[in-house]
Amino acid sequence: MKQRKSTPIIAALIIAAVLTRIVQIFLTIDFKTGFYKTQFSALGLGITIFIAVLCGSAALLARNTLDIIENGWAVSRVTSVFSGVLAIALFYEFFAEKFVIQGVAWQVVLMKLIGFLTAGYFLAFAVFRTLNVKMPDIAHTIPAFYMIIRIICSFINISSLSLIAENIFLLASYCCMLLFFVSYAAFYCVEEQNTRSLYTRAVLAFSFSFSTALPNIIANTFAKVGYTHIPIHSQVVLMAFVLFLAGFIYEKYFKAYEQ
């Protein structure tokens, strides 16, 4: 049960990353342009590196303190609920907002198609688990494809503005999510599982995504001038992914000890 003992430290690292990111947004970033303020450019870059170190440290600690679970995997309703919440967020994005504000037509169509498919997957995931029915293994690869398309479309549209701090964190979050969902798909599709890698990637994705989504939502909610260089709905969806990750980590690496 080493990871239970390390959990408070991991949580402290993630909270520190979130708080540091909030300070970075309000102190060093010009809301009108999305770039660092001239007098705080070095500080802003240093804080970015510091946040990355905090998130990486949380994942490294998770990797080095994992106990191998021998009594099987638990199933929790929490994950099912969060899966439903994520499906709703993705459907909202599909019907209410454009996926890529500056994207060309093929990007918008591609994102809408994969977004609708992914929303359907997480809705089915919640329903099938509630009914105790097994989903086809191949279906669990859908979130990984969603993240691949997300990364491609996001990078195409922001590559010319790659120095904007928010874009750095958003792309990092998507990349970490992709790493997790590749392991996630393997967890359901392959018999031999690397549980240590799955747990590490889950914590890494949670750390980066939580440190990206929550501070941005706070900035857009409470700042007099909204920090709108990244659409708020993208942050809401990312936050829904964070909730799903939290449920998955709890279910697979903590609740199993109670069985």
Side-chain angles (χ1 to χ4, degrees), residues 156-230:
I156 288 174
N157 286 284
I158 68 176
S159 59
S160 61
L161 299 175
S162 58
L163 294 179
I164 293 182
E166 187 58 44
N167 292 333
I168 294 173
F169 280 99
L170 193 65
L171 280 175
S173 298
Y174 288 158
C175 290
C176 291
M177 279 285 183
L178 174 59
L179 289 174
F180 164 72
F181 278 118
V182 168
S183 291
Y184 171 88
F187 168 74
Y188 287 103
C189 298
V190 182
E191 292 185 2
E192 294 295 329
Q193 302 302 325
N194 187 338
T195 56
R196 191 177 299 277
S197 177
L198 180 63
Y199 182 50
T200 303
R201 292 181 177 187
V203 173
L204 183 65
F206 180 90
S207 302
F208 267 103
S209 300
F210 193 41
S211 301
T212 299
L214 183 59
N216 189 280
I217 291 172
I218 291 174
N220 276 281
T221 302
F222 296 103
K224 293 181 179 179
V225 180
Y227 184 55
T228 57
H229 298 281
I230 298 297

Side-chain angles (χ1 to χ4, degrees), residues 59-74:
L60 185 62
L61 181 60
R63 178 179 180 82
N64 291 333
T65 58
L66 174 65
D67 286 323
I68 301 301
I69 299 174
E70 298 178 351
N71 59 342
W73 297 103

Side-chain angles (χ1 to χ4, degrees), residues 20-73:
T20 304
R21 173 62 179 151
I22 293 173
V23 171
Q24 182 191 42
I25 289 177
F26 284 95
L27 176 64
T28 70
I29 294 177
D30 184 345
F31 278 34
K32 293 181 179 179
T33 65
F35 288 91
Y36 296 121
K37 297 175 183 177
T38 304
Q39 66 272 32
F40 292 123
S41 58
L43 177 61
L45 180 60
I47 291 177
T48 297
I49 296 172
F50 180 66
I51 294 172
V53 170
L54 288 174
C55 294
S57 298
L60 185 62
L61 181 60
R63 178 179 180 82
N64 291 333
T65 58
L66 174 65
D67 286 323
I68 301 301
I69 299 174
E70 298 178 351
N71 59 342
W73 297 103

